[in-house]
């Protein structure tokens, strides 16, 4: 197979994967409260209809935690550690951990799952 043909095959493969993948994003913030009390957590929940894999985590935070059905299901001390985690169907909230000396934190998590055809 020529190098040019191999390149075309790879382009087609990546294009096909892009068409079949769906992504879901969820974002949240945390604002420090007074003397460790009344911190403010803001997150609009996301409903996942089938297993989804965390593919990207962005934000100014020191890790995050994930909540489903009022229970913490996952805790990560760094954003990178969340990558590859699979979440089962359900409704989820995510919350960022505050960095030392910071009053606010934010995080956005992107998940992906394949379409069933």
């Amino acid at each position: 197979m020529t190098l040019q043909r191999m390149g075309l095959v790879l382009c087609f493969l990546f294009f096909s994967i892009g068409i079949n993948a769906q992504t879901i994003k969820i974002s949240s913030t945390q604002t420090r409260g007074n003397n460790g009390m009344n911190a403010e957590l803001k997150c609009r929940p996301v409903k996942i209809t089938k297993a989804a894999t965390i593919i990207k985590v962005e934000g100014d935070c020191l890790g995050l935690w994930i909540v489903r059905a009022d229970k913490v299901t996952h805790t990560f001390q760094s954003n990178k550690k969340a990558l590859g985690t699979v979440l089962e169907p359900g409704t989820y909230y995510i919350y960022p951990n505050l960095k030392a000396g910071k009053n606010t934190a934010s995080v956005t998590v992107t998940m992906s799952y394949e379409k069933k055809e």
Side-chain angles (χ1 to χ4, degrees), residues 85-104:
T85 300
V86 177
L87 301 179
E88 295 303 318
T91 300
Y92 290 89
Y93 295 81
I94 61 161
Y95 299 108
N97 293 321
L98 291 168
K99 289 181 177 178
K102 297 286 185 173
N103 290 322
T104 61

PDB file of all heavy atoms in Angstrom, residues 85-104:
ATOM      1  N   THR A  85     -12.186   7.321  32.710  1.00  0.00           N
ATOM      2  CA  THR A  85     -13.214   6.806  33.621  1.00  0.00           C
ATOM      3  C   THR A  85     -14.528   6.630  32.864  1.00  0.00           C
ATOM      4  O   THR A  85     -14.937   7.496  32.098  1.00  0.00           O
ATOM      5  CB  THR A  85     -13.428   7.775  34.802  1.00  0.00           C
ATOM      6  OG1 THR A  85     -12.195   7.907  35.507  1.00  0.00           O
ATOM      7  CG2 THR A  85     -14.515   7.294  35.739  1.00  0.00           C
ATOM      8  N   VAL A  86     -15.171   5.494  33.070  1.00  0.00           N
ATOM      9  CA  VAL A  86     -16.450   5.206  32.416  1.00  0.00           C
ATOM     10  C   VAL A  86     -17.576   5.413  33.420  1.00  0.00           C
ATOM     11  O   VAL A  86     -17.552   4.863  34.518  1.00  0.00           O
ATOM     12  CB  VAL A  86     -16.480   3.759  31.870  1.00  0.00           C
ATOM     13  CG1 VAL A  86     -17.847   3.444  31.264  1.00  0.00           C
ATOM     14  CG2 VAL A  86     -15.368   3.547  30.847  1.00  0.00           C
ATOM     15  N   LEU A  87     -18.541   6.235  33.037  1.00  0.00           N
ATOM     16  CA  LEU A  87     -19.722   6.480  33.859  1.00  0.00           C
ATOM     17  C   LEU A  87     -20.897   5.705  33.273  1.00  0.00           C
ATOM     18  O   LEU A  87     -21.144   5.764  32.077  1.00  0.00           O
ATOM     19  CB  LEU A  87     -20.042   7.976  33.905  1.00  0.00           C
ATOM     20  CG  LEU A  87     -18.941   8.883  34.449  1.00  0.00           C
ATOM     21  CD1 LEU A  87     -19.404  10.337  34.407  1.00  0.00           C
ATOM     22  CD2 LEU A  87     -18.542   8.479  35.847  1.00  0.00           C
ATOM     23  N   GLU A  88     -21.595   4.991  34.130  1.00  0.00           N
ATOM     24  CA  GLU A  88     -22.769   4.221  33.710  1.00  0.00           C
ATOM     25  C   GLU A  88     -23.962   5.162  33.535  1.00  0.00           C
ATOM     26  O   GLU A  88     -23.940   6.290  34.033  1.00  0.00           O
ATOM     27  CB  GLU A  88     -23.069   3.138  34.746  1.00  0.00           C
ATOM     28  CG  GLU A  88     -21.972   2.088  34.859  1.00  0.00           C
ATOM     29  CD  GLU A  88     -21.674   1.390  33.537  1.00  0.00           C
ATOM     30  OE1 GLU A  88     -22.625   1.064  32.798  1.00  0.00           O
ATOM     31  OE2 GLU A  88     -20.491   1.176  33.242  1.00  0.00           O
ATOM     32  N   PRO A  89     -25.016   4.721  32.851  1.00  0.00           N
ATOM     33  CA  PRO A  89     -26.180   5.586  32.651  1.00  0.00           C
ATOM     34  C   PRO A  89     -26.714   6.126  33.978  1.00  0.00           C
ATOM     35  O   PRO A  89     -26.722   5.436  34.988  1.00  0.00           O
ATOM     36  CB  PRO A  89     -27.203   4.654  31.993  1.00  0.00           C
ATOM     37  CG  PRO A  89     -26.370   3.620  31.303  1.00  0.00           C
ATOM     38  CD  PRO A  89     -25.184   3.418  32.206  1.00  0.00           C
ATOM     39  N   GLY A  90     -27.138   7.383  33.951  1.00  0.00           N
ATOM     40  CA  GLY A  90     -27.680   8.027  35.137  1.00  0.00           C
ATOM     41  C   GLY A  90     -27.551   9.529  35.027  1.00  0.00           C
ATOM     42  O   GLY A  90     -27.084  10.061  34.024  1.00  0.00           O
ATOM     43  N   THR A  91     -27.955  10.231  36.069  1.00  0.00           N
ATOM     44  CA  THR A  91     -27.858  11.684  36.131  1.00  0.00           C
ATOM     45  C   THR A  91     -26.691  12.045  37.039  1.00  0.00           C
ATOM     46  O   THR A  91     -26.610  11.570  38.175  1.00  0.00           O
ATOM     47  CB  THR A  91     -29.166  12.297  36.655  1.00  0.00           C
ATOM     48  OG1 THR A  91     -30.223  11.914  35.758  1.00  0.00           O
ATOM     49  CG2 THR A  91     -29.087  13.811  36.710  1.00  0.00           C
ATOM     50  N   TYR A  92     -25.801  12.889  36.526  1.00  0.00           N
ATOM     51  CA  TYR A  92     -24.556  13.211  37.222  1.00  0.00           C
ATOM     52  C   TYR A  92     -24.389  14.706  37.458  1.00  0.00           C
ATOM     53  O   TYR A  92     -24.831  15.529  36.660  1.00  0.00           O
ATOM     54  CB  TYR A  92     -23.350  12.728  36.408  1.00  0.00           C
ATOM     55  CG  TYR A  92     -23.209  11.235  36.377  1.00  0.00           C
ATOM     56  CD1 TYR A  92     -23.837  10.469  35.407  1.00  0.00           C
ATOM     57  CD2 TYR A  92     -22.429  10.575  37.333  1.00  0.00           C
ATOM     58  CE1 TYR A  92     -23.707   9.093  35.388  1.00  0.00           C
ATOM     59  CE2 TYR A  92     -22.293   9.199  37.312  1.00  0.00           C
ATOM     60  CZ  TYR A  92     -22.931   8.461  36.340  1.00  0.00           C
ATOM     61  OH  TYR A  92     -22.805   7.093  36.322  1.00  0.00           O
ATOM     62  N   TYR A  93     -23.693  15.011  38.549  1.00  0.00           N
ATOM     63  CA  TYR A  93     -23.193  16.340  38.867  1.00  0.00           C
ATOM     64  C   TYR A  93     -21.680  16.195  39.023  1.00  0.00           C
ATOM     65  O   TYR A  93     -21.216  15.148  39.470  1.00  0.00           O
ATOM     66  CB  TYR A  93     -23.744  16.843  40.199  1.00  0.00           C
ATOM     67  CG  TYR A  93     -25.239  17.056  40.232  1.00  0.00           C
ATOM     68  CD1 TYR A  93     -26.112  15.990  40.425  1.00  0.00           C
ATOM     69  CD2 TYR A  93     -25.765  18.331  40.092  1.00  0.00           C
ATOM     70  CE1 TYR A  93     -27.480  16.189  40.465  1.00  0.00           C
ATOM     71  CE2 TYR A  93     -27.141  18.531  40.142  1.00  0.00           C
ATOM     72  CZ  TYR A  93     -27.998  17.454  40.328  1.00  0.00           C
ATOM     73  OH  TYR A  93     -29.355  17.649  40.366  1.00  0.00           O
ATOM     74  N   ILE A  94     -20.928  17.231  38.688  1.00  0.00           N
ATOM     75  CA  ILE A  94     -19.493  17.242  38.953  1.00  0.00           C
ATOM     76  C   ILE A  94     -19.167  18.508  39.728  1.00  0.00           C
ATOM     77  O   ILE A  94     -19.863  19.519  39.584  1.00  0.00           O
ATOM     78  CB  ILE A  94     -18.646  17.193  37.660  1.00  0.00           C
ATOM     79  CG1 ILE A  94     -18.931  18.418  36.779  1.00  0.00           C
ATOM     80  CG2 ILE A  94     -18.868  15.913  36.897  1.00  0.00           C
ATOM     81  CD1 ILE A  94     -17.873  18.682  35.755  1.00  0.00           C
ATOM     82  N   TYR A  95     -18.138  18.438  40.555  1.00  0.00           N
ATOM     83  CA  TYR A  95     -17.737  19.603  41.327  1.00  0.00           C
ATOM     84  C   TYR A  95     -16.212  19.682  41.387  1.00  0.00           C
ATOM     85  O   TYR A  95     -15.546  18.677  41.603  1.00  0.00           O
ATOM     86  CB  TYR A  95     -18.302  19.530  42.749  1.00  0.00           C
ATOM     87  CG  TYR A  95     -19.809  19.502  42.763  1.00  0.00           C
ATOM     88  CD1 TYR A  95     -20.495  18.337  43.084  1.00  0.00           C
ATOM     89  CD2 TYR A  95     -20.551  20.633  42.447  1.00  0.00           C
ATOM     90  CE1 TYR A  95     -21.885  18.308  43.089  1.00  0.00           C
ATOM     91  CE2 TYR A  95     -21.939  20.613  42.454  1.00  0.00           C
ATOM     92  CZ  TYR A  95     -22.598  19.448  42.777  1.00  0.00           C
ATOM     93  OH  TYR A  95     -23.958  19.421  42.774  1.00  0.00           O
ATOM     94  N   PRO A  96     -15.654  20.883  41.218  1.00  0.00           N
ATOM     95  CA  PRO A  96     -14.200  21.052  41.276  1.00  0.00           C
ATOM     96  C   PRO A  96     -13.696  21.198  42.709  1.00  0.00           C
ATOM     97  O   PRO A  96     -14.398  21.715  43.574  1.00  0.00           O
ATOM     98  CB  PRO A  96     -13.984  22.351  40.495  1.00  0.00           C
ATOM     99  CG  PRO A  96     -15.219  23.153  40.792  1.00  0.00           C
ATOM    100  CD  PRO A  96     -16.339  22.133  40.877  1.00  0.00           C
ATOM    101  N   ASN A  97     -12.475  20.742  42.953  1.00  0.00           N
ATOM    102  CA  ASN A  97     -11.796  20.990  44.223  1.00  0.00           C
ATOM    103  C   ASN A  97     -11.082  22.327  44.128  1.00  0.00           C
ATOM    104  O   ASN A  97     -10.460  22.635  43.105  1.00  0.00           O
ATOM    105  CB  ASN A  97     -10.755  19.899  44.508  1.00  0.00           C
ATOM    106  CG  ASN A  97     -11.391  18.555  44.755  1.00  0.00           C
ATOM    107  OD1 ASN A  97     -12.431  18.442  45.382  1.00  0.00           O
ATOM    108  ND2 ASN A  97     -10.759  17.512  44.246  1.00  0.00           N
ATOM    109  N   LEU A  98     -11.156  23.104  45.193  1.00  0.00           N
ATOM    110  CA  LEU A  98     -10.454  24.389  45.243  1.00  0.00           C
ATOM    111  C   LEU A  98      -8.949  24.167  45.396  1.00  0.00           C
ATOM    112  O   LEU A  98      -8.516  23.290  46.138  1.00  0.00           O
ATOM    113  CB  LEU A  98     -10.943  25.221  46.423  1.00  0.00           C
ATOM    114  CG  LEU A  98     -12.367  25.763  46.339  1.00  0.00           C
ATOM    115  CD1 LEU A  98     -12.802  26.294  47.691  1.00  0.00           C
ATOM    116  CD2 LEU A  98     -12.448  26.853  45.283  1.00  0.00           C
ATOM    117  N   LYS A  99      -8.167  24.990  44.707  1.00  0.00           N
ATOM    118  CA  LYS A  99      -6.722  24.996  44.913  1.00  0.00           C
ATOM    119  C   LYS A  99      -6.438  25.777  46.189  1.00  0.00           C
ATOM    120  O   LYS A  99      -7.215  26.664  46.576  1.00  0.00           O
ATOM    121  CB  LYS A  99      -6.010  25.678  43.739  1.00  0.00           C
ATOM    122  CG  LYS A  99      -6.038  24.884  42.457  1.00  0.00           C
ATOM    123  CD  LYS A  99      -5.284  25.629  41.374  1.00  0.00           C
ATOM    124  CE  LYS A  99      -5.235  24.831  40.082  1.00  0.00           C
ATOM    125  NZ  LYS A  99      -4.531  25.583  39.018  1.00  0.00           N
ATOM    126  N   ALA A 100      -5.319  25.468  46.828  1.00  0.00           N
ATOM    127  CA  ALA A 100      -4.925  26.184  48.046  1.00  0.00           C
ATOM    128  C   ALA A 100      -4.829  27.680  47.755  1.00  0.00           C
ATOM    129  O   ALA A 100      -4.259  28.092  46.744  1.00  0.00           O
ATOM    130  CB  ALA A 100      -3.590  25.658  48.550  1.00  0.00           C
ATOM    131  N   GLY A 101      -5.436  28.483  48.628  1.00  0.00           N
ATOM    132  CA  GLY A 101      -5.368  29.930  48.490  1.00  0.00           C
ATOM    133  C   GLY A 101      -6.310  30.529  47.463  1.00  0.00           C
ATOM    134  O   GLY A 101      -6.347  31.734  47.282  1.00  0.00           O
ATOM    135  N   LYS A 102      -7.081  29.708  46.776  1.00  0.00           N
ATOM    136  CA  LYS A 102      -8.027  30.203  45.771  1.00  0.00           C
ATOM    137  C   LYS A 102      -9.440  30.231  46.354  1.00  0.00           C
ATOM    138  O   LYS A 102      -9.811  29.391  47.172  1.00  0.00           O
ATOM    139  CB  LYS A 102      -8.027  29.321  44.516  1.00  0.00           C
ATOM    140  CG  LYS A 102      -6.711  29.296  43.787  1.00  0.00           C
ATOM    141  CD  LYS A 102      -6.509  30.589  43.055  1.00  0.00           C
ATOM    142  CE  LYS A 102      -5.250  30.527  42.207  1.00  0.00           C
ATOM    143  NZ  LYS A 102      -5.097  31.675  41.358  1.00  0.00           N
ATOM    144  N   ASN A 103     -10.232  31.198  45.906  1.00  0.00           N
ATOM    145  CA  ASN A 103     -11.610  31.313  46.379  1.00  0.00           C
ATOM    146  C   ASN A 103     -12.626  30.714  45.422  1.00  0.00           C
ATOM    147  O   ASN A 103     -13.779  30.516  45.794  1.00  0.00           O
ATOM    148  CB  ASN A 103     -11.957  32.780  46.640  1.00  0.00           C
ATOM    149  CG  ASN A 103     -11.232  33.311  47.848  1.00  0.00           C
ATOM    150  OD1 ASN A 103     -11.055  32.608  48.838  1.00  0.00           O
ATOM    151  ND2 ASN A 103     -10.776  34.544  47.774  1.00  0.00           N
ATOM    152  N   THR A 104     -12.215  30.481  44.177  1.00  0.00           N
ATOM    153  CA  THR A 104     -13.125  29.893  43.203  1.00  0.00           C
ATOM    154  C   THR A 104     -12.407  28.817  42.394  1.00  0.00           C
ATOM    155  O   THR A 104     -11.179  28.827  42.268  1.00  0.00           O
ATOM    156  CB  THR A 104     -13.679  30.947  42.217  1.00  0.00           C
ATOM    157  OG1 THR A 104     -12.595  31.533  41.507  1.00  0.00           O
ATOM    158  CG2 THR A 104     -14.485  32.012  42.925  1.00  0.00           C
TER     159      THR A 104
END
